[in-house]
Amino acid sequence: LDERSGETRHGRIAPADRMLLRGWPEHLLADTGTSAAFAVEGCTGWRFVVEELQRAGVEAHLAEPADTAAARGPKRRAKTDRTDARLLRDLLADGRLPESWIPPAHVLEMRARLQLFKDLREQHTGWVQRVHAILLHHGVPAVTGGLLSLDNRRRLETGEGLSPAGRQAVATALRIIDALDAELEPLRKQIAAFADRQPGCRALQADYGIGPITAAALWSELGDSARFSASRKAVRHTGLDITVHSSDGKRTAAHLSRQGSPLLRWALFE
């Protein structure tokens, strides 16, 4: 929207990649000869879009998806990319855009490392649980202590009480667990080293139960605590608030809203 002339233009950038997008804001600024503001919905892929807009000198705004959808109100027409773009433009022009925090590059990098660590940990846990399931399925006596302790590891490698296919499955699981450990350990050290240097992470680790991984997750996902005017809003941001639906004396069981950052919720609760 050209606010001086009232002219509007729309189009589509496809395929959606960084190199194709890079030239568009530069041409836009060259054509208009003035500053420009752009609203981006905070869904997958927003990072490279915001980085390229900022690189070209465009004022980037990151829209919070849920609040943006609520601002649409009751739908009177089909929801399309064009109507979504028009809504973002109108909210931005009216100063009503529900904005999300755009973290600096080093925070985004730490978020990516933490997400990688979380994914690897979940895979590691999944394979350990799979080994337990194989042992139970074959009626092998329960393992005491850690599954991957030295004695239990030796017992698993011999395949005692397992069929040939069971021994093969356990051996495969052990190799995958070893590969995951080889990736997890240096990544854990990298995150811990950062948490030991970063003042905010060091302050968080002074509280009971918060180690370097949890501190780094809190620091990267919450950002500046001054963004929240009340503690309940910080809880809401994590998705750990309790949701209850009641109507005419009927009430459903309460549950966690789970509408915040999955990484932050994993570090704090899961």
Side-chain angles (χ1 to χ4, degrees), residues 43-54:
C43 53
T44 302
W46 69 262
R47 177 178 176 177
F48 86 91
V49 177
V50 168
E51 287 175 347
E52 289 304 319
L53 290 173
Q54 292 176 337

Side-chain angles (χ1 to χ4, degrees), residues 56-207:
V58 176
E59 181 184 339
H61 299 265
L62 186 63
E64 203 284 323
D67 289 342
T68 300
R72 180 182 295 107
K75 290 189 292 184
R76 298 182 178 85
R77 60 184 67 85
K79 179 182 178 297
T80 63
D81 289 343
R82 185 176 295 185
T83 59
D84 284 346
R86 186 184 300 116
L87 174 65
L88 289 171
R89 184 199 68 194
D90 292 344
L91 291 174
L92 180 60
D94 295 342
R96 298 186 294 115
L97 185 73
E99 295 198 42
S100 293
W101 178 49
I102 300 178
H106 67 285
V107 177
L108 292 173
E109 288 296 288
M110 180 50 61
R111 283 185 179 183
R113 291 191 180 96
L114 286 164
Q115 185 62 52
L116 174 60
F117 182 84
K118 172 180 177 291
D119 293 340
L120 292 172
R121 278 299 316 164
E122 288 178 344
Q123 289 186 41
H124 189 281
T125 301
W127 280 101
V128 170
Q129 292 172 342
R130 186 171 299 185
V131 172
H132 278 294
I134 293 170
L135 298 179
L136 176 62
H137 187 61
H138 286 79
V140 177
V143 174
T144 58
L147 180 70
L148 301 178
S149 64
L150 187 60
D151 291 339
N152 288 332
R153 177 68 182 253
R154 190 179 300 113
R155 174 183 164 189
L156 291 173
E157 289 174 347
T158 61
E160 179 184 349
L162 296 173
S163 70
R167 286 195 294 272
Q168 181 182 11
V170 169
T172 301
L174 291 176
R175 288 196 298 271
I176 294 176
I177 289 172
D178 289 342
L180 291 171
D181 282 333
E183 297 293 338
L184 276 165
E185 192 55 33
L187 185 57
R188 185 197 306 274
K189 290 180 179 178
Q190 186 179 14
I191 296 172
F194 175 86
D196 290 340
R197 294 193 310 268
Q198 214 285 329
C201 293
R202 289 205 305 269
L204 286 167
Q205 291 181 77
D207 289 336

